[in-house]
Amino acid sequence: MMGSLQTESAQSRPDLLAPPVAKALAVWPVEGPIDADQVLVAPIDPTLADTAAFCAAYGVTLAESANCVIVAGSRGGLTKYAACIVLATTRADVNGVVRRQLDVRKASFAPMDDAVSLTGMEYGGITPIGLPVDWPILVDSRVVATPHVIVGSGVRHSKIAIAGPALGALPNAVVLEGLAREVS
């Protein structure tokens, strides 16, 4: 349990997950660093899904909360998408590390409508679990070094609690030192 969240196995509560997240948990790799039943979910008030409000209401520190942001980059008319997982105490270096990692001329946060339609998840609840299989998942090394983190569940009315190292072991995950910068 983290903060005041009442967690339970995410596989047992598909009603608290976006469909792509539930589908990804159903085919969770057995060779992963954790078993699928160690991915936990907790219901929350959807009006408190935004990071600062969520942390304040549920007693979770910003250092235990990870944000998943969808980035779009383009080069030569081709758009590439990626997810960036960073702790809430940091911000992704979109125009530096992310742009170079994607090998694009320009990178920016994906428009909300694109992020929602391409992931099948709700804005403000997007998670790295269940993203399109061809998207890279860029994970800041600080996330992987955190024993347990809270991330979105694909919907705004719940959150997932998961071991930080498990996020770095997701399919297509790349752990990057310096992906994010501390927020001052």
Side-chain angles (χ1 to χ4, degrees):
M1 190 164 80
M2 297 180 74
S4 63
L5 293 174
Q6 300 297 313
T7 59
E8 55 191 297
S9 170
Q11 285 187 311
S12 70
R13 292 297 307 270
D15 59 307
L16 294 177
L17 305 170
V21 179
K23 182 178 175 185
L25 285 173
V27 295
W28 191 261
V30 285
E31 68 278 358
I34 63 170
D35 293 332
D37 63 357
Q38 292 175 295
V39 178
L40 305 176
V41 68
I44 66 164
D45 178 338
T47 65
L48 299 172
D50 294 332
T51 304
F54 163 77
C55 288
Y58 291 95
V60 174
T61 69
L62 290 173
E64 298 170 306
S65 184
N67 291 322
C68 178
V69 294
I70 304 302
V71 176
S74 59
R75 178 185 287 275
L78 177 67
T79 300
K80 296 180 182 179
Y81 292 92
C84 297
I85 314 305
V86 300
L87 293 178
T89 57
T90 65
R91 294 292 175 258
D93 181 5
V94 174
N95 281 308
V97 175
V98 174
R99 182 183 57 77
R100 286 189 299 276
Q101 185 69 29
L102 293 178
D103 189 29
V104 293
R105 188 172 298 282
K106 181 183 175 197
S108 59
F109 295 108
M112 178 179 63
D113 291 345
D114 291 352
V116 169
S117 67
L118 294 170
T119 64
M121 300 180 201
E122 294 178 5
Y123 190 75
I126 294 174
T127 188
I129 300 167
L131 289 174
V133 296
D134 58 340
W135 286 14
I137 300 171
L138 310 179
V139 185
D140 186 70
S141 60
R142 287 172 274 215
V143 172
V144 175
T146 304
H148 291 91
V149 294
I150 301 292
V151 294
S153 63
V155 294
R156 292 183 60 87
H157 62 273
S158 66
K159 294 282 185 178
I160 285 176
I162 188 169
L167 293 174
L170 289 171
N172 293 340
V174 178
V175 178
L176 298 170
E177 192 77 34
L179 171 63
R181 297 183 179 154
E182 290 291 329
V183 175
S184 34

